[in-house]
Amino acid sequence: MNQTLVDLLERNLAHAEAFEGRFDDVQDGQRPDAVTVCCSDSRVLQDGMWDNDRPGQLFTCANIGNRVVQRTPEGEVVSGDVLYPIAHTGTELAIVVGHTGCGAVTATYDQLTEGLSEPPGIEHSIGLLAPRLQDGVEALPDGIDRETAINRLVEYNVDRQVELLVESDDVPDSVTAVGVVYDFQDVYGGRRGEVHVVNVDGTRAVDALRRAHPDLADRVNRLWEYDR
């Protein structure tokens, strides 16, 4: 048997022992405080980044590119896995979590600038990102290096996903939509693993965010303030 699976199952026993009594309040239902939409990159610790070890606090969704969009026969809509806690458990905070050096954003950038060949499933995911990143790619300054371009587009992608939540008729106005970037590459300064707030309900200018949300002021940070 694959040794990784064996090791994971052994570690699960330790988890079960530690958490045996922590499900009492939630085993018959859930009312999570927030839904998070993370990139499924293995370096993005979906609960760990919040130091969360409480079952029932976070409804976690993950896919490549931290997308909130889903393609249906009726067109593109906010994904059902994101909407479920909003529609059925009273969750009123949605957090889109991008991350530095995102591979999905990189692949989309390459697709838009050079063309790319990927298996159909990956092409589908990139196809959901590409229309939203096109304007961002065109807005990048001339001569910008690749790493900086990708990290600016990470923010741009987070902004577009937050925009989808804010503009969707399926998301009530009572829901706060927040965009953040998880930095494990020393891009923003500070400590690796810090979360930087880049967008709240569509507001993305750093000064405006700090004025409107003084309790978040020391966590608001952006690499790129653009016009479009």
Side-chain angles (χ1 to χ4, degrees):
M1 177 53 67
N2 184 294
Q3 188 59 43
T4 297
L5 176 59
V6 173
D7 292 343
L8 288 171
L9 289 172
E10 284 296 320
R11 288 158 61 183
N12 171 253
L13 290 178
H15 164 81
E17 181 177 357
F19 277 74
E20 185 174 7
R22 298 192 191 182
F23 293 98
D24 293 347
D25 295 335
V26 296
Q27 66 182 33
D28 295 324
Q30 61 171 328
R31 293 190 67 82
D33 298 324
V35 52
T36 62
V37 189
C38 299
C39 185
S40 49
D41 189 298
S42 62
R43 299 165 293 181
V44 178
L45 306 177
Q46 294 184 61
D47 281 284
M49 73 173 70
W50 313 109
D51 196 27
N52 176 50
D53 63 358
R54 178 162 65 87
Q57 182 176 24
L58 298 178
F59 193 101
T60 54
C61 310
N63 55 65
I64 60 170
N66 42 271
R67 307 179 317 274
V68 306
V69 65
Q70 175 180 345
R71 190 168 289 155
T72 73
E74 289 73 35
E76 292 186 351
V77 298
V78 173
S79 178
D81 50 0
V82 181
L83 279 177
Y84 182 86
I86 293 171
H88 292 287
T89 70
T91 302
E92 293 194 335
L93 174 62
I95 307 174
V96 178
V97 184
H99 70 91
T100 53
C102 179
V105 170
T106 300
T108 306
Y109 172 77
D110 290 341
Q111 172 65 36
L112 290 169
T113 56
E114 303 171 4
L116 197 66
S117 177
E118 292 283 0
I122 297 176
E123 284 190 350
H124 173 79
S125 297
I126 292 173
L128 291 171
L129 290 175
R132 291 167 176 84
L133 293 188
Q134 178 74 59
D135 285 348
V137 171
E138 294 175 359
L140 290 169
D142 294 336
I144 193 172
D145 66 85
R146 179 180 174 84
E147 180 179 347
T148 301
I150 297 306
N151 284 320
R152 289 188 176 191
L153 290 172
V154 164
E155 289 183 349
Y156 193 88
N157 180 45
V158 167
D159 291 336
R160 299 289 73 76
Q161 305 306 318
V162 170
E163 182 179 61
L164 282 164
L165 293 173
V166 171
E167 294 183 353
S168 172
D169 293 336
D170 294 324
V171 178
D173 292 340
S174 59
V175 173
T176 299
V178 177
V180 306
V181 176
Y182 180 64
D183 180 13
F184 51 78
Q185 297 177 324
D186 296 318
V187 173
Y188 286 79
R191 291 166 294 189
R192 283 180 289 179
E194 280 195 74
V195 165
H196 299 265
V197 177
V198 300
N199 192 313
V200 177
D201 285 333
T203 299
R204 52 185 172 82
V206 169
D207 289 344
L209 284 171
R210 288 175 176 167
R211 286 194 305 270
H213 307 283
D215 51 333
L216 304 179
D218 62 343
R219 304 306 298 274
V220 172
N221 203 355
R222 283 194 72 96
L223 302 174
W224 193 24
E225 297 199 37
Y226 51 87
D227 294 331
R228 56 172 90 181

